[in-house]
Amino acid sequence: MATPTRPRPSQKKPKPTNPTDRTDRTPLTLITVLILAVLVQNPLRGALSSPVMQTWTTVFVAVVVQAMPFLVLGVLLSAAIAVFVPPSFFTRALPTRPSLAVPVAGAAGAVLPGCECASVPVTGALIRRGVPPAAALAFLLSAPAINPVVLTATAVAFPDTPEMVLARLVASLLVSCAMGWLWLRLGRTDWLRPPTHPSHEGKPRAAAFWDSVRHDVLHAGGFLILGAMAAATLKAAVPESWLSDLAANPWAAVVALGILAVVLSLCSEADAFVAASLTHFSLTARLAFLVVGPMVDLKLIAMQAGTFGRSFALRFAPTTFLLALAISTATGTALL
């Protein structure tokens, strides 16, 4: 005898969404924005015509317009290196002795462009492929600080001070090598968590390249906008006497701009133009801003903690910050 089939419990079907709902909201949103713009046009026009806002707008636009081409070029080059250059190339190019591999890896940053956003995954790939961690960390610090795009942008931002390019190159290379040797001597394997997977695994190279470009342009461009806004605000809103008093103390100025570089988290292809706008501060203080920024900032600390572990970031970032301040001050005093 056939067993009777039990009726299945009724299931509520999901309510179909109308694809035109979101489309219908678009004209309403645009109309609302236009009405608000018309209502506040007089107060807005009056605010923008004030001397403070005119100064703010001028500095903001100047920084963004000057920096954006270098940012885009740097992102294109760093994405190409991260995607098309195999990590095994670096393994073959470095000396087998770690103490010699550190300066070679640090100097490689001068010929291999890469912003700090791209240097973290590239460094992870190097460590996975057998590069000594000390050499990989030297490359991590030097690549976004002394590559050709960054040095060219620095020369454009400081046309009357060409020695700033040399000072940035020397100070950044010294910091990267010193941190590599310091890790070689004092670093422990349990502090560094090796990354477990490549950044572009499973993707075609062309798709990985454009994904990297889109991500870095939006990510770095956002930080550039914030940095330009901060520089314009310092220039327009902060009283001249405050900046003069802070800049008059050489030690306080260096520390202040070092902390500012950490907080602003600018892309290294654009930070020179922000530093050039901080005219109240000495060249040595602005050099500290340029040396610290590509090596230690909020987004880099977060990326390093996520890639190499929190234990690594909590030790590596503060040490790099203090060493960068000390070496940039000494280099600025000697060359600037």
Side-chain angles (χ1 to χ4, degrees):
M1 178 182 293
T3 57
T5 58
R6 294 182 180 180
R8 295 182 179 179
S10 60
Q11 296 181 352
K12 293 182 179 180
K13 295 182 179 180
K15 185 179 180 180
T17 57
N18 188 353
T20 62
D21 287 347
R22 294 182 180 178
T23 306
D24 293 341
R25 296 174 188 170
T26 303
L28 179 60
T29 304
L30 293 176
I31 292 172
T32 304
V33 172
L34 290 175
I35 292 175
L36 290 175
V38 171
L39 291 177
V40 301
Q41 62 175 330
N42 289 331
L44 188 61
R45 187 184 299 115
L48 292 177
S49 62
S50 64
V52 172
M53 285 304 302
Q54 288 181 350
T55 301
W56 190 96
T57 304
T58 300
V59 175
F60 174 78
V61 172
V63 171
V64 172
V65 169
Q66 284 184 305
M68 189 57 71
F70 293 95
L71 187 147
V72 173
L73 177 60
V75 166
L76 289 172
L77 292 175
S78 64
I81 290 173
V83 174
F84 295 107
V85 177
S88 58
F89 167 80
F90 301 99
T91 307
R92 295 193 302 266
L94 291 175
T96 56
R97 189 173 178 180
S99 58
L100 295 179
V102 167
V104 173
V111 295
L112 296 174
C115 69
E116 58 269 31
C117 300
S119 65
V120 174
V122 171
T123 301
L126 295 179
I127 295 176
R128 281 195 309 273
R129 296 300 179 89
V131 173
L137 295 177
F139 179 82
L140 169 71
L141 298 178
S142 69
I146 63 172
N147 69 69
V149 177
V150 169
L151 296 181
T152 302
T154 305
V156 174
F158 292 89
D160 299 327
T161 315
E163 56 268 24
M164 180 63 82
V165 180
L166 177 61
R168 183 174 194 178
L169 171 64
V170 171
S172 300
L173 186 57
L174 287 176
V175 173
S176 63
C177 291
M179 284 300 299
W181 284 321
L182 192 63
W183 181 268
L184 190 62
R185 184 173 181 83
L186 302 177
R188 289 167 41 180
T189 55
D190 58 324
W191 290 350
L192 179 63
R193 182 188 67 197
T196 57
H197 59 85
S199 302
H200 308 292
E201 185 178 11
K203 290 184 178 180
R205 288 187 174 184
F209 173 79
W210 289 115
D211 285 348
S212 178
V213 169
R214 282 192 296 268
H215 173 271
D216 288 348
V217 166
L218 293 176
H219 190 264
F223 284 107
L224 169 61
I225 297 298
L226 292 177
M229 292 173 64
T233 302
L234 285 175
K235 190 76 172 180
V238 178
E240 295 277 341
S241 57
W242 292 9
L243 293 178
S244 300
D245 292 342
L246 182 60
N249 188 325
W251 299 106
V254 168
V255 175
L257 288 194
I259 296 174
L260 184 64
V262 175
V263 174
L264 290 184
S265 301
L266 294 175
C267 185
S268 58
E269 279 87 7
D271 59 359
F273 299 96
V274 175
S277 68
L278 303 174
T279 54
H280 288 82
F281 294 88
S282 66
L283 291 175
T284 298
R286 286 184 276 176
L287 175 64
F289 179 88
L290 296 177
V291 174
V292 170
M295 299 183 179
V296 187
D297 62 34
L298 295 181
K299 70 175 185 299
L300 268 178
I301 295 173
M303 292 178 67
Q304 291 172 4
T307 304
F308 304 115
R310 186 183 302 176
S311 179
F312 168 82
L314 291 178
R315 291 173 172 84
F316 190 75
T319 306
T320 305
F321 177 78
L322 295 176
L323 195 60
L325 286 183
I327 291 180
S328 59
T329 301
T331 305
T333 302
L335 299 179
L336 301 176

